[in-house]
Amino acid sequence: MIASPALLALREATASAHETLEVQARIEPRLSDPATRGATVAAFYRFHAGLEPLSHPLTAALNAELDADFEPRSRANGIAQDLTILGQRIPSPARPAAPASAGEALGWVYVAEGSMLGGRIIRRRLAAEGRDLDGLGFLDPYGEETGARWRAFMDLLDRACAGGLVTIDQVVKGGIDGFAFAHRTLQPQPQEAAA
């Protein structure tokens, strides 16, 4: 399958931010450590609960207009269940600035949906190491549907760009802003780093 111009532009524009997030946020070791797992899952809740109300309605409207097959789903709800399993309180959502267009909203959703692909890998590695997976259901919320869901999102992205409903520049800006929001939200907090 050949990547679309929008996907190629997104990958190129966000590659550095993606790599920086992986290195600095240290997601996998924090999730594997019982002392930091709860705070890390709470950070994911704040990220998704902040992003979803701002980007999902715009994305859902595009999906309806194009009669596409990608319907945004809340991951925050599942993460709240994981926090309950871990005995953690549900934190307040983070509050990013809203995307200014449907194209930017697609860029934000690209970051959130893309994290599922990495989440599945992290969950598999932790299982292979014999770690318990309590409170980590959010890493793989769609199971075997993950690939189909990603392809549906790519189809919506391509059709929205081809139809002139959004521009690649808008989508790229949303992707950059989405990664910046993820970086701010998912960083270890000072009290966590000291634990």
Side-chain angles (χ1 to χ4, degrees), residues 34-60:
T36 53
R37 179 176 292 182
T40 308
V41 175
F44 272 98
Y45 176 84
R46 296 185 72 242
F47 172 74
H48 287 282
L51 176 148
E52 290 169 2
L54 301 176
S55 61
H56 282 189
L58 293 168
T59 302

Side-chain angles (χ1 to χ4, degrees), residues 59-68 70-71 156:
T59 302
L62 277 177
N63 187 64
E65 186 168 351
L66 292 166
D67 195 23
F70 178 81
E71 189 65 36
L156 173 63

Side-chain angles (χ1 to χ4, degrees), residues 119-155:
R120 292 195 88 192
I121 294 170
I122 290 173
R123 189 172 157 86
R124 231 180 279 136
R125 282 201 295 244
L126 293 178
E129 292 171 3
R131 308 274 184 182
D132 80 75
L133 300 177
D134 291 346
L136 298 181
F138 77 99
L139 290 175
D140 188 17
Y142 307 124
E144 296 306 313
E145 287 183 47
T146 302
R149 185 165 173 78
W150 180 250
R151 287 189 294 277
F153 175 69
M154 288 294 109
D155 178 63

Side-chain angles (χ1 to χ4, degrees), residues 82-122:
D82 283 330
L83 286 169
T84 299
I85 290 169
L86 294 169
Q88 299 282 316
R89 70 176 184 81
I90 310 298
S92 300
R95 301 206 178 276
S101 66
E104 289 185 25
L106 281 179
W108 284 64
V109 172
Y110 165 79
V111 177
E113 290 290 321
S115 73
M116 282 186 315
L117 305 175
R120 292 195 88 192
I121 294 170
I122 290 173

